[in-house]
Amino acid sequence: MDKRRMVAVLCTLALAIGCLAGTQAVQAKTAFQDASSGALHVEGTILCDADGKVVQLRGVSTHGLSWYPEYVNDKCFKELHDKWGANVVRLAMYTEEYNGYCSGDAANRKSLKKLVKKGVQLAAKYDMYVIVDWHILSDGNPKTHKKAAKAFFKDMSKSLADYDNVLYEICNEPNGGTTWKDIKSYANDIIPAIRANDEDAVIIVGTPTWSQEVDKAAASPLKYENVMYALHFYADTHQDSLRKTAENAIKAGLPIFVSEFGICDASGNGNVNKTQANKWIKLLDKYHVSYVGWNLSNKSESSAMIANSCNKTSGFKRSELSTAGKWMYDMLRKRAGKA
Ligand code: IDC
């Protein structure tokens, strides 16, 4: 190669590297929009801030608040934001399972509400969005506890009205033959109760069959603004066909929100499938869909992010995370421009 050609090649190379670095910086900046961006709203299929800038939420869900309340603490939330690069935390409050909001007594309800408020305050303190999740599961149909749900969301939206980092998830995973019609009628009752106190909070609505049938919602969406529809997946169980359903719903204009996913099988345990997990993340990033990983605990199950042998509730070293936890940590940090 003559000298002139060599110089030209080197210049092109330098330019390409410069551009690449520049693009990465811009991507990192737009990718990590934390709650300092203020209140969110839905535009088409996408979440935006007040300036119309795309905000993609990525973060983690607690395990059931009645089982693992200890992770809702100041140091842990700071670490999730500063070190993990999470811009959202989901507070999973079971309704029917062990000490659930509806299965437990009045003292339990009081302490759960207190814990949810603490979670919202800590999330706000560390610039994270936060999802208040009415975690129905074995109760199957959200109508089972509709009265309690309405009272809960009325009360919560009133006391949290000044926080613009809150999103409400009104029914985790309808199942057991619950139809989209059932869910719509429930949502049409609960949404106005929230809107009465907080007229524009983003509300996430579960979909039939453990929040998988977003196609049903796409065919007949709710009539409210700032509503998104839950799609949940567990990567070792749900693969191409559910990804297709998700993509079709997005193409049909449905704003979907992956408010819970795991990279193991649907039981929350079993094999960790990184190949399928990466396929999911690639698809969700392509459409700026937000996603929240299950779960922040050290339970002996593969979806738990903290190693079973680690009893800390903050200050986790990477080596103290489970296989799924390490994957989640690396994935979040990379997307937040921290790794
Ligand atoms: C699982 C927990 C497990 C707990 C069980 C209670 O991981 O420790 O004993 O709930 O029934 C969901 C649910 C979520 C499940 C999770 C894994 O939203 O509550 O958590 N999962 O089974 N949907 C699909 C999978």
Side-chain angles (χ1 to χ4, degrees):
M1 200 185 287
D2 69 33
K3 210 170 153 197
R4 259 202 347 232
R5 243 185 107 200
M6 179 112 102
V7 170
V9 167
L10 286 176
C11 283
T12 315
L13 211 67
L15 203 69
I17 291 169
C19 280
L20 212 67
T23 327
Q24 268 171 353
V26 171
Q27 271 173 359
K29 230 172 158 185
T30 49
F32 194 55
Q33 296 254 320
D34 66 14
S36 55
S37 296
L40 301 177
H41 67 278
V42 181
E43 273 182 33
T45 63
I46 282 169
L47 263 181
C48 293
D49 67 10
D51 301 330
K53 231 185 284 158
V54 177
V55 178
Q56 189 178 359
L57 301 186
R58 298 182 177 98
V60 300
S61 175
T62 67
H63 195 288
L65 290 178
S66 292
W67 279 296
Y68 293 96
E70 62 272 27
Y71 294 94
V72 183
N73 72 70
D74 193 289
K75 282 189 183 149
C76 182
F77 273 44
K78 178 174 169 43
E79 193 169 325
L80 288 174
H81 175 271
D82 295 358
K83 201 170 163 203
W84 292 51
N87 57 6
V88 64
V89 173
R90 177 186 193 230
L91 303 168
M93 189 189 72
Y94 281 84
T95 48
E96 187 74 46
E97 275 72 8
Y98 164 75
N99 264 347
Y101 191 83
C102 304
S103 56
D105 60 13
N108 182 58
R109 278 195 285 285
K110 204 171 155 198
S111 71
L112 280 170
K113 280 207 252 189
K114 215 171 135 195
L115 192 55
V116 169
K117 282 179 199 163
K118 182 182 175 189
V120 169
Q121 282 159 358
L122 286 178
K125 183 172 176 190
Y126 295 113
D127 282 332
M128 291 189 288
Y129 293 96
V130 62
I131 301 172
V132 175
D133 163 34
W134 182 257
H135 202 87
I136 68 159
L137 194 59
S138 58
D139 29 350
N141 192 321
K143 285 176 153 177
T144 314
H145 294 301
K146 191 174 88 175
K147 219 173 132 202
K150 204 167 171 178
F152 172 79
F153 282 111
K154 224 177 199 171
D155 183 27
M156 280 315 200
S157 56
K158 194 167 178 196
S159 50
L160 301 175
D162 290 338
Y163 288 87
D164 57 13
N165 63 329
V166 180
L167 292 84
Y168 295 96
E169 182 170 7
I170 63 173
C171 50
N172 168 49
E173 292 185 353
N175 62 79
T178 302
T179 62
W180 177 236
K181 202 172 158 218
D182 287 332
I183 302 168
K184 275 184 98 173
S185 106
Y186 168 80
N188 281 328
D189 241 359
I190 304 298
I191 294 173
I194 298 173
R195 291 278 189 255
N197 298 313
D198 190 336
E199 57 184 14
D200 47 18
V202 172
I203 297 174
I204 304 167
V205 182
T207 54
T209 315
W210 294 284
S211 287
Q212 290 169 43
E213 294 184 10
V214 282
D215 51 325
K216 300 271 164 53
S220 173
L222 289 153
K223 303 235 177 321
Y224 294 94
E225 293 194 342
N226 293 328
V227 165
M228 303 188 92
Y229 300 84
L231 175 91
H232 291 179
F233 70 85
Y234 279 76
D236 198 48
T237 307
H238 309 116
Q239 306 178 355
D240 282 339
S241 78
L242 189 59
R243 277 194 289 271
K244 197 83 224 139
T245 306
E247 192 164 19
N248 286 342
I250 298 165
K251 284 184 177 159
L254 193 78
I256 69 172
F257 194 117
V258 176
S259 49
E260 183 185 307
F261 77 95
I263 68 168
C264 55
D265 75 32
S267 71
N269 213 341
N271 183 44
V272 165
N273 193 330
K274 294 185 192 171
T275 308
Q276 289 295 329
N278 290 332
K279 283 191 181 183
W280 270 107
I281 297 299
K282 195 171 167 202
L283 175 74
L284 301 178
D285 282 346
K286 178 176 172 193
Y287 291 103
H288 309 292
V289 174
S290 298
Y291 45 85
V292 179
W294 181 260
N295 69 74
L296 186 63
S297 83
N298 70 343
K299 187 168 176 174
S300 167
E301 59 180 9
S302 24
S303 58
M305 294 181 211
I306 315 297
N308 187 236
S309 56
C310 171
N311 291 313
K312 293 181 185 174
T313 55
S314 66
F316 314 110
K317 295 190 195 118
R318 189 178 178 281
S319 59
E320 291 167 331
L321 305 179
S322 66
T323 307
K326 287 184 184 117
W327 179 91
M328 208 72 80
Y329 176 77
D330 294 343
M331 182 277 290
L332 290 171
R333 274 174 64 81
K334 190 168 167 205
R335 278 160 184 75
K338 289 183 186 290

